[in-house]
Amino acid sequence: MNDETDRAPIEDTHFGAITVRQDGQDRIEVDGEAIPRVTLERAPATEADPQIAIGTRDPAHLTMRIDDTTVELQPAKGRLSRHSYRVDVTYDGADYRLVPDSVPGSRLTRDGVHLGDFSSDGDETVIAEWREDPEIRPADAAIGYALASAFGTGAQPMWMMIVDGVSGALP
């Protein structure tokens, strides 16, 4: 795992310093003084997909913990539509979803309420922009930063993927 001194913490507007650390494609850890610690680990024997920061979207090969509680994590397969790149988490009676809503970004919801927007290339640099309306909880930040780092954010709309596919097939 990267040493904290190698990585400057991210300054979140609601929760102050948050550190995101990646250990290759094996483990991601998010922590800060004002949020719970989140770890996301890929099973050691699982072959890593180089396109995904955590190495897989298969929930059978991933374990997510918030503090010491294992939580339900359900990444979708990630096919053609933006919605197919969603990641769902159930924690403390709430249903969270991180889903792409633009080319660079994804929105985080809790029980269907839009909490904020995240941007990340699937690395230790994550940007969060919180909405003003809903109450933002420490777990919201911890989950959002972990999912954005593990799976990246954003996706092309389906029509762009189709145009890219067609133009790539032309001589």
Side-chain angles (χ1 to χ4, degrees):
M1 187 97 33
N2 295 339
D3 186 334
E4 260 184 75
T5 58
D6 294 341
R7 185 99 192 121
I10 299 162
E11 277 302 317
D12 184 85
T13 56
H14 280 72
F15 300 101
I18 295 176
T19 303
V20 177
R21 290 182 296 277
Q22 291 184 352
D23 183 8
Q25 289 183 288
D26 299 326
R27 177 183 166 99
I28 291 172
E29 185 175 309
V30 174
D31 63 6
E33 287 186 24
I35 65 168
R37 181 175 40 87
V38 175
T39 57
L40 184 52
E41 296 176 302
R42 182 175 50 82
T46 308
E47 184 176 337
D49 180 337
Q51 301 298 314
I52 305 166
I54 194 65
T56 185
R57 295 184 71 83
D58 185 343
H61 301 294
L62 294 169
T63 303
M64 184 173 182
R65 289 182 194 82
I66 300 178
D67 285 333
D68 292 323
T69 302
T70 301
V71 299
E72 183 181 343
L73 172 69
Q74 289 293 321
K77 298 279 187 212
R79 301 277 189 227
L80 285 178
S81 69
R82 283 182 176 164
H83 190 73
S84 73
Y85 285 91
R86 73 190 176 280
V87 183
D88 294 324
V89 171
T90 301
Y91 174 68
D92 199 25
D95 294 319
Y96 290 87
R97 173 170 283 174
L98 184 72
V99 63
D101 63 355
S102 66
V103 173
S106 294
R107 83 177 156 268
L108 179 68
T109 62
R110 178 186 0 101
D111 297 328
V113 175
H114 186 175
L115 302 174
D117 301 296
F118 283 78
S119 296
S120 178
D121 289 333
D123 57 18
E124 294 173 334
T125 302
V126 178
I127 298 169
E129 295 179 23
W130 298 108
R131 308 238 339 170
E132 295 299 321
D133 308 344
E135 171 197 356
I136 307 300
R137 303 173 186 165
D140 302 341
I143 290 167
Y145 278 90
L147 296 180
S149 178
F151 298 101
T153 60
Q156 290 184 337
M158 192 180 319
W159 69 267
M160 278 182 93
M161 289 186 211
I162 292 169
V163 168
D164 287 347
V166 169
S167 64
L170 297 174

